[in-house]
Amino acid sequence: MELIKNLQWRYAVKKYSEELVSEYKIDQIIEAINLTASSCGIQPYRLIVITNPEIRQKLAEGSFNKQIQDSSHLLVFAAFNKVTSEYIADYTAMMEGQRNLEIGALNDFRDTLISFFSTQTPEQNAICSSKQAYIGLGTALIAAAELKIDATPMEGFNPEIFNEVLGLTEKNLHASVIISLGYRDTANDYLASIPKVRLPIDEFSTKL
Ligand SMILES: Cc1cc2nc3c(=O)[nH]c(=O)nc-3n(C[C@H](O)[C@H](O)[C@H](O)COP(=O)(O)O)c2cc1C
């Protein structure tokens, strides 16, 4: 399985080279993330792709992760704060359109989702959305590895700075997790030449 080789090849890069990733490859990663499964299928997060150096400098403030600034691209997974009834109605209407269904065919499904999300607290809405964003993060790591693009998933950033600089709060979003993309600087990244550490497979998994 080629995927296993790709996953052995990848690691969370600490130091990137100056080489930039082509927009074509970035677009393939974005498409892979968009194709990721999400609970109820409603994709309650958005992806922000940043190359602008001034914005990245602001985002990197106070973070130990130099990769926020020093990489080809930075992807921000911005999860919904609230899953609104309007959003669910729009999304299910889009589903009807894409599946050539009659208008209103998914009304029962829509109403079930609306009642489910509206009985959750705002905090539960945000946590649920953030969990879906993390599934997208997993896809991004796998897609990048297949393209032989290096990546670093990161939680080590200041979400308040991200929310403010990217104007996320007014868009009903919050920075959930981020990933940098680029190419490893093999000579200057101490992690490039040391073995990957993982549990023995029998300790990690149980077959019943
Ligand atoms: C959700 C998440 C958050 C992470 N946050 C950071 C981070 O802030 N900075 C960093 O250098 N690596 C971060 N990592 C990378 C992990 O340290 C790394 O994946 C782990 O040590 C396993 O090593 P490998 O990915 O190189 O195989 C994060 C990984 C995940 C999945």
Side-chain angles (χ1 to χ4, degrees):
M1 189 182 180
E2 207 58 37
L3 177 61
I4 300 291
K5 284 190 201 145
N6 293 334
L7 292 176
Q8 280 161 344
W9 171 84
R10 67 147 297 279
Y11 72 98
V13 165
K14 297 278 186 249
K15 180 94 179 70
Y16 286 90
S17 73
E18 300 281 305
E19 191 180 346
L20 299 179
V21 179
S22 72
E23 282 312 296
Y24 174 71
K25 287 183 176 173
I26 292 294
D27 287 345
Q28 286 188 306
I29 293 171
I30 296 170
E31 192 174 346
I33 299 167
N34 189 39
L35 285 167
T36 299
S38 62
S39 177
C40 307
I42 59 165
Q43 302 184 265
Y45 62 95
R46 294 292 178 265
L47 192 69
I48 298 152
V49 182
I50 309 169
T51 49
N52 181 297
E54 289 83 31
I55 294 176
R56 293 175 66 174
Q57 193 182 343
K58 286 184 194 158
L59 297 176
E61 215 169 285
S63 171
F64 58 89
N65 281 308
K66 297 282 163 260
Q67 307 94 314
I68 293 174
Q69 229 177 313
D70 303 335
S71 54
S72 173
H73 288 68
L74 182 74
L75 272 52
V76 178
F77 290 81
F80 286 12
N81 293 332
K82 188 164 169 24
V83 181
T84 64
S85 303
E86 293 72 30
Y87 178 74
I88 292 169
D90 287 348
Y91 200 99
T92 49
M94 184 181 78
M95 276 175 153
E96 290 170 351
Q98 290 190 11
R99 290 184 167 158
N100 294 318
L101 298 171
E102 278 179 32
I103 292 172
L106 295 176
N107 279 357
D108 286 351
F109 177 59
R110 177 200 66 194
D111 293 343
T112 305
L113 292 185
I114 288 175
S115 107
F116 174 72
F117 283 103
S118 59
T119 52
Q120 284 191 343
T121 64
E123 195 191 8
Q124 284 171 325
N125 264 204
I127 291 171
C128 172
S129 302
S130 187
K131 283 180 180 173
Q132 311 315 311
Y134 271 73
I135 302 172
L137 174 78
T139 302
L141 285 167
I142 292 168
E146 180 175 325
L147 293 167
K148 291 287 183 286
I149 293 167
D150 284 299
T152 316
M154 288 174 279
E155 287 178 318
F157 64 94
N158 185 331
E160 281 169 16
I161 292 180
F162 273 62
N163 293 344
E164 196 191 316
V165 170
L166 301 174
L168 297 181
T169 310
E170 51 265 38
K171 293 178 189 147
N172 184 36
L173 297 168
H174 66 279
S176 178
V177 67
I178 62 175
I179 185 170
S180 56
L181 298 169
Y183 295 100
R184 64 188 72 174
D185 178 352
T186 309
N188 295 302
D189 189 345
Y190 74 98
L191 281 175
S193 56
I194 62 174
K196 189 181 273 300
V197 176
R198 288 297 188 272
L199 290 167
I201 210 79
D202 291 346
E203 190 178 334
F204 177 68
S205 71
T206 306
K207 291 180 179 167
L208 300 175

